[in-house]
C-alpha cells in the first residue's frame, strides 16, 4: 500500500498538470471543483461577489498585500502570493 496516493499537491504539481495558472484561474477552478456559487465562495475567502468575479475574469489583479482574511484559513498564502507574482511578471514581459 502506497502513501503517495494521499500526497498533497503543490504549486509545481498544479503547474505540471494544468499549465501556468493566474490567481483568477486558480480561484475559479477551485470554486467550480467545490461546486460553490460566487456568493458562497466569496464568503469563504472574504471577498465581495463583484471583486471575486473581476479577479476570476482577469479584469482585476490581486495585490500581494495582506488580505482582509488570513489565507491560511482557506488556502496556503505562499501559493496565492507565488501565483500573483508570477502573473505580474508574465504581464510585465
Amino acid at each position: 500500500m502506497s502513501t503517495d496516493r494521499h500526497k498533497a499537491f503543490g504549486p509545481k504539481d498544479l503547474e505540471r498538470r494544468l499549465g501556468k495558472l493566474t490567481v483568477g484561474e486558480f480561484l475559479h477552478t477551485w470554486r467550480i471543483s467545490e461546486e460553490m456559487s460566487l456568493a458562497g465562495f466569496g464568503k469563504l475567502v472574504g471577498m465581495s461577489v463583484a471583486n471575486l468575479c473581476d479577479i476570476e475574469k482577469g479584469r482585476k489583479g490581486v495585490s500581494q498585500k495582506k488580505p482582509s482574511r488570513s489565507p491560511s484559513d482557506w488556502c496556503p498564502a505562499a501559493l496565492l502570493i507565488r501565483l500573483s507574482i508570477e502573473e505580474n511578471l508574465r504581464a510585465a514581459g
Side-chain angles (χ1 to χ4, degrees):
M1 181 182 213
S2 174
T3 58
D4 289 340
R5 183 175 184 204
H6 301 289
K7 182 181 172 187
F9 287 107
K12 296 276 186 202
D13 299 311
L14 290 172
E15 187 176 307
R16 188 172 40 254
R17 288 174 179 247
L18 303 172
K20 298 276 186 193
L21 285 176
T22 64
V23 174
E25 290 167 337
F26 171 75
L27 292 175
H28 177 77
T29 301
W30 182 17
R31 179 176 68 80
I32 296 301
S33 71
E34 295 292 328
E35 298 179 353
M36 295 181 79
S37 66
L38 276 169
F41 194 72
K43 194 174 263 190
L44 173 71
V45 299
M47 289 184 203
S48 69
V49 172
N51 194 27
L52 180 57
C53 182
D54 285 344
I55 291 169
E56 283 188 3
K57 298 288 185 185
R59 293 187 293 251
K60 188 182 266 188
V62 177
S63 74
Q64 289 84 36
K65 288 183 191 177
K66 183 178 179 182
S68 59
R69 187 168 176 184
S70 172
S72 61
D73 292 347
W74 49 272
C75 179
L79 175 61
L80 292 177
I81 291 169
R82 178 183 170 177
L83 288 172
S84 180
I85 291 170
E86 286 177 355
E87 184 177 347
N88 290 335
L89 288 172
R90 282 193 304 272

